[in-house]
Amino acid sequence: MPADSLNVKQPLPAGFGPSAPLSPGSGLPVSGSIGSSGSEPRPIENTLDEPVSETIMRDLNNIWTKIKQVLNPASQADKNILRDWDWWGPLLLCLGLSVRLSITAQYEQGPAVFSATFFIIWFGSAVVTLNSKLLGGRISLFQSVCVLGYCVFPLVAVSLVTWILPFLLKFVLVAVAFAWSTFASLNFLGDVNLENKRLLAIYPIFLFYMMIAWLILIAT
């Protein structure tokens, strides 16, 4: 038998061989957005080699996009965007409000006000989420805390100016911000499958934002 007949190369299937290398980020279905309405998976995003500044700017853009949705909760553009949860935005808003209230508090009460505000926001979010889960809600802890944290933004924004306003105007602005935060959170958490227990799920959310509004209102 000729030697050349032993070296016959069989054709490779399509997609294999040196002409089609397999590279990371080629669109393999390995992850997806929690809040996306479609079924198309997101490709792998290799962020290990990108500059830190680019990573920070991307995260800040994501935070601003979610804040804009809170400012216009009735918009149907991307109602489920807050389900693609992160805790950077809620953490920054919580720190901002805690610092704001501690600055205008009396000197010896500053640390206590900071700690109390920080604790109320995070513990309150956890309690509201636990109540929803016990009632049979299907939203996760991370998603619920993300939504409740981002919806604090109207109250945080109002707190930046209320300390220089007369009490009557301060009361009106805080009341508007309270209603805005409550409406936004109910709009985003409105589909947690609690048809017959909706009032029991709404009441803790009302108390949660009422407590934060009260802290802002009594701050000097």
Side-chain angles (χ1 to χ4, degrees):
M1 180 179 296
D4 293 342
S5 63
L6 299 178
N7 298 325
V8 176
K9 296 182 179 180
Q10 299 294 332
L12 294 175
F16 291 86
S19 61
L22 191 62
S23 60
S26 56
L28 298 179
V30 296
S31 64
S33 173
I34 296 175
S36 60
S37 56
S39 59
E40 296 182 359
R42 292 189 303 182
I44 301 175
E45 295 182 3
N46 185 8
T47 60
L48 296 178
D49 299 328
E50 72 176 8
V52 176
S53 59
E54 185 175 338
T55 303
I56 294 175
M57 290 305 301
R58 186 181 65 252
D59 291 339
L60 291 177
N61 287 333
N62 291 335
I63 292 173
W64 175 238
T65 300
K66 294 176 181 178
I67 288 177
K68 288 192 297 184
Q69 189 64 28
V70 171
L71 293 176
N72 188 17
S75 172
Q76 299 298 321
D78 197 355
K79 185 177 178 180
N80 293 324
I81 189 173
L82 293 184
R83 298 298 182 85
D84 192 5
W85 61 270
D86 73 86
W87 282 3
W88 288 114
L91 178 60
L92 291 177
L93 293 174
C94 178
L95 287 175
L97 183 60
S98 300
V99 170
R100 151 64 185 93
L101 297 182
S102 64
I103 288 177
T104 56
Q106 296 182 5
Y107 178 76
E108 64 276 5
Q109 296 179 351
V113 171
F114 180 93
S115 302
T117 305
F118 195 90
F119 175 79
I120 287 173
I121 292 178
W122 286 102
F123 181 75
S125 299
V127 170
V128 171
T129 303
L130 179 61
N131 176 73
S132 176
K133 298 293 289 184
L134 292 177
L135 292 175
R138 298 179 184 178
I139 189 170
S140 72
L141 169 66
F142 305 105
Q143 293 172 340
S144 179
V145 172
C146 175
V147 171
L148 294 170
Y150 271 106
C151 290
V152 174
F153 177 77
L155 288 166
V156 176
V158 165
S159 70
L160 298 178
V161 297
T162 53
W163 64 281
I164 60 175
L165 299 176
F167 180 80
L168 181 59
L169 184 56
K170 179 180 180 179
F171 178 84
V172 172
L173 290 178
V174 171
V176 171
F178 161 73
W180 201 327
S181 295
T182 304
F183 173 74
S185 63
L186 294 180
N187 189 59
F188 295 125
L189 297 175
D191 56 344
V192 293
N193 299 315
L194 296 173
E195 292 84 357
N196 299 324
K197 305 174 183 178
R198 185 174 176 82
L199 184 60
L200 295 177
I202 291 176
Y203 183 65
I205 297 177
F206 179 86
L207 290 180
F208 172 67
Y209 290 113
M210 176 66 77
M211 178 63 69
I212 299 175
W214 177 252
L215 289 176
I216 298 174
L217 193 60
I218 63 177
T220 55

